[in-house]
Amino acid sequence: MSRPGSISVLCVDDNPHVTRALESKLRRSGKFDWRGSLSSADQLVETVARECPEIVLLDVDMPGMDPLAALERLSRECPNTRTVVFSGHIRRELVERAVESGAWGYVSKNDDEAELIRAIRSVAEGEFVLSVEARRVFGD
Amino acid sequence: MELGETAFVPSAGAIGQSGLRSSVAAEAADASFARLRRLYEAILSNTPDLAYVWDLNHRFIYVNEGLLKMWGRTREDALGKNCLELGYEPWHAAMHDREIEQVVATGKPVRGEVPFTGTFGRRIYDYVLVPVFGPGGQVEAVAGTTRDVTEYRETQDQHRRHVQQLEVLNRVGTALAGELNLEKLVQTVTDAGRELCGAEFGVFFYNAHGRVGGVRTLRAVSGAAPAPLAQVSLPEDAPLGLCRFPGDGVVRISDISAEPAGRGAVTIGGVPITKLAVRSLLAAPVISRSGELAGQLLYGHGEPGVFGRESEPVLRALAAQAAVAIDNAQLHAGVQAELKQRKEAEAALGRQFARAALLSSTLQELLAAKDPERLVHELFPRVASNVGADTFFNFLVEESGQSLRLHACGGVEADVVRGVEKLEFGQAICGTVALRRQTIHATDIQNSDDSTSAFVRSLGMRAYCCNPLLVGDKLLGTLSFGSRTRSRFEPDEVEFLTSISQYVAISMERLQTEARLQRIVEERTRDLERSHARLRLSERMAALGTLAAGLGHDMGNLLMPIRVQLESIEEAGVPQSVREEVAGIRSGVEYLRKLASGLRLLAIDPGASAKGEVIELRSWWPEVCTLLKSALPRGVMLKDDIGDVRIRMARAAFTQVLFNLVQNAGDALRDRGAGTVRIGASAAGEKVSVTVSDDGPGMPEEVRTRCMEPFFTTKTRMTSTGLGLALVYGLVQQAGGSIELFSQPGKGTTFVIVFENAVESEAVAPKPETRPFAVLDVRDARLRAILASDLKHSFTIAGKERMQGAALCVTDNATVAGAGCGVTVLLADASEAPPGTVAVGRGARVETIREAVRAASKRSVHWGESK
């Protein structure tokens, strides 16, 4: 269970530098409940079912199971957990597939970290978020 | 006068006057004499000859019984009288007087022949007068014997005539045997017949084969034939119909005027022969070996009884000879005609073969021809020699399709044709052929006053044949051949020229088509080479872009944690000196982040639409400027003057365009090691221009005109593909823009890219207040975001409070559906959908929903505009 007022987050990224940096960033803010990280999407649904994080930060370019396929299953089986895709790949078809698979947000790794923090908060509040770069692929 | 004892037995009277003898001797002598006298008397009285004796006074002193019978006199009546006294015609009597005197004078016999009409009628007599010598040797009387030679003479005459006729027939036969000319032949026959029959005139009606087949009757005339026979007209189609005789054989009429009605009913040319001034008539049919009537020989005479029975076989023989000769002549004529026909046919066949060979070789040459003008020039001498032409004109239809232009000509001086370099349809012979699309063969032009042929007449043409050059319904022009020596071309020559023209037309069409195809192929090949080169380059650039983007992505992946960790260090309350170091590191990281961002922009996004996206250049610039700067050599500055403009193009493609142009400018400045590259963007009305300029050495003319061609480069192949600017050109074109280059040696180079102003084009579209608006009442925020993104180009997006009057409403709330909207898309099951709404279904996939909304939006935009 997350602390009152904090948002519980699970991070899935094969790059340990990223997960370590995110963990450090989110813990230091004191407003997030770090529920750990996975280096692939293979155990995503099981882990979420066990940990019940409010937000999953999901990279889409990882070895192992297709992260978006895992996301689709996750949306179906754990509807209370919302996923924000956090990726360096910003392509329209990728964003569309992610949205279709149940993503609530799409944030570029190249965006400022503050953008990621805002996105996590907004999605947790029920908003759908596309970061600046992700919106651009729709001609925005 | 006394009669000699040895020579003559005197008559009783004469004896009675003789001298006296001794009685015994006299009696014995008398008895002997009487006996001798009886003996002589018996002989002389019974000889068929006439015997007589004149005294020297020309009086008959003895005549035998034969003579007395012929005279019809008695001895007593006759003796002692001379010829005249006995009723001889004076000339006859005078003739005998002369002969008697001659015998007396010469003592030699005289022989003669004379006609005399006695009791046996008119007979021919042969006579011999001999002297009777007295004892003294003097002539004391003249004795004569006469024999009737009438039969002999007639037989002799007949024989002579037969010989003569045979000679004539033989001569005619010889003449006919060598005569093959029908006219001469029949004339010979006609003349010979007249000679054989002793006719006054002869006419030969005969059949002749006409030049073009059929038979007609002709006539040969010998002597002075009566006018009806010589002049009666001979109908072409009534062979011998004008000469009708009864029976098939020889007809002989001794006296027409005495003929009974049946035989006198013979008509010639409708004229009864009784009306002709003819009494004797002899006619014979000429029957050929085949039994056909070949002609009719007709002879006549003004006197009756001229043609005897003996003339019938003669004429029959002549007719037979004539039949054979006519048969031979006609056979010969037939053979000659056939030979001639065969020779003509052979000659015609030879010409046909020659033409066919010429057509064949011409066709081969035409098929192999490469140049339409040479084609007709090379063709001309061959055609000319074949049909005797000495001039040709070849006109081609001009683009207007209403006039002809002279394409080639031969056999005329150059200054002559200046007036006819262009002909309107309908003008002169060639123009008329073009108008009617039919062959014109003008003949005997010099004797014609036809205005159409005035020009060729002025050239001295006598015959001129012009053909249209037609391929199907398409008229290419005309081809004509003229002759100054011939007044006309034969039909087979006209046909030949027509065939040649058809070949030329097909050949020209082929050459034109080939040239057209060649141009198309060359154009397509060039296009293909260009697009192939661009494709390769764009593949290469896509691969490079992917590599760059991957690099950018990985850099971003690494930079993100570095940034976070730098932040942690700063937040950890480190000393100022460390904080400054961290700030330095952060600055470097920031540079790398921008570079990574720019690198990622080089990746072509396969999902991006062909029309691209709207790029707001001021927000795009910071993302790429680092990357662009990195493309420049050290010492070269990059300056920007980016206005507030937006263009529509795929972002990666636009980035690649600018990257290439900047890189190109940097290369131009590389050797100097200093200079400035400027990027500018500004809007002017509906256009946006993006410029990339450098203050480098500029391009010479040759480089400037060719630098956007694929593979063109001024650099070494090791450092340049020669495709960079070609790619730029292709990408800008694909995006609907244009690119221009301004460069002069020593004055730098400027590329100006012009796009439609994306803002302007949207502004030209419905103004915000006039645009239809769409209500999005969807609880699912992410779906709402996607749909809003889809619709915002066509609609002003509004909330459900503006439901009334909205062109489109997309809602998941069935209770508000259809409330005053144009088209409503209800994200619910069909059972919940009120009438007039489009139900998509609750569990529908996002793409299905988007598709339905897109379809509805098209209808609603239409509805909104029309309303």
Side-chain angles (χ1 to χ4, degrees), chain B residues 552-571:
Chain B
H553 172 253
D554 286 348
M555 279 169 70
N557 256 2
L558 281 174
L559 291 172
M560 194 278 295
I562 292 172
R563 284 199 308 273
V564 171
Q565 283 159 347
L566 286 174
E567 200 180 288
S568 299
I569 291 169
E570 283 172 333
E571 286 174 2

Side-chain angles (χ1 to χ4, degrees), chain A residues 17-18 21 24-25 28 86 88-89 92 96 99-100 103 108-111 113 128 133 136 138 140, chain B residues 553 557 560-561 563-564 567-568 571 593 597 600 605 623 651 781-782 785-786 789 792 845-846 850:
Chain A
H17 298 294
V18 173
S24 162
K25 174 83 180 173
R28 272 188 287 115
F86 182 54
H89 297 289
R92 181 169 177 148
E96 284 181 352
V99 170
E100 268 195 50
S108 166
K109 281 181 182 170
N110 216 41
D111 283 325
E113 290 76 42
F128 179 80
E133 272 199 52
R136 205 175 274 144
F138 292 106
D140 199 350
Chain B
H553 172 253
N557 256 2
M560 194 278 295
R563 284 199 308 273
V564 171
E567 200 180 288
S568 299
E571 286 174 2
R593 189 182 70 85
S597 178
R600 286 216 316 276
D605 179 355
E623 295 176 46
R651 187 175 294 264
R782 65 193 171 95
I786 290 171
S789 172
K792 68 184 180 185
R845 292 160 57 86
V846 171
R850 292 176 71 191

Side-chain angles (χ1 to χ4, degrees), chain B residues 226-250:
Chain B
L229 289 177
Q231 293 167 9
V232 64
S233 64
L234 302 172
E236 292 258 332
D237 55 348
L240 297 175
L242 76 170
C243 192
R244 296 173 200 280
F245 291 95
D248 295 330
V250 174

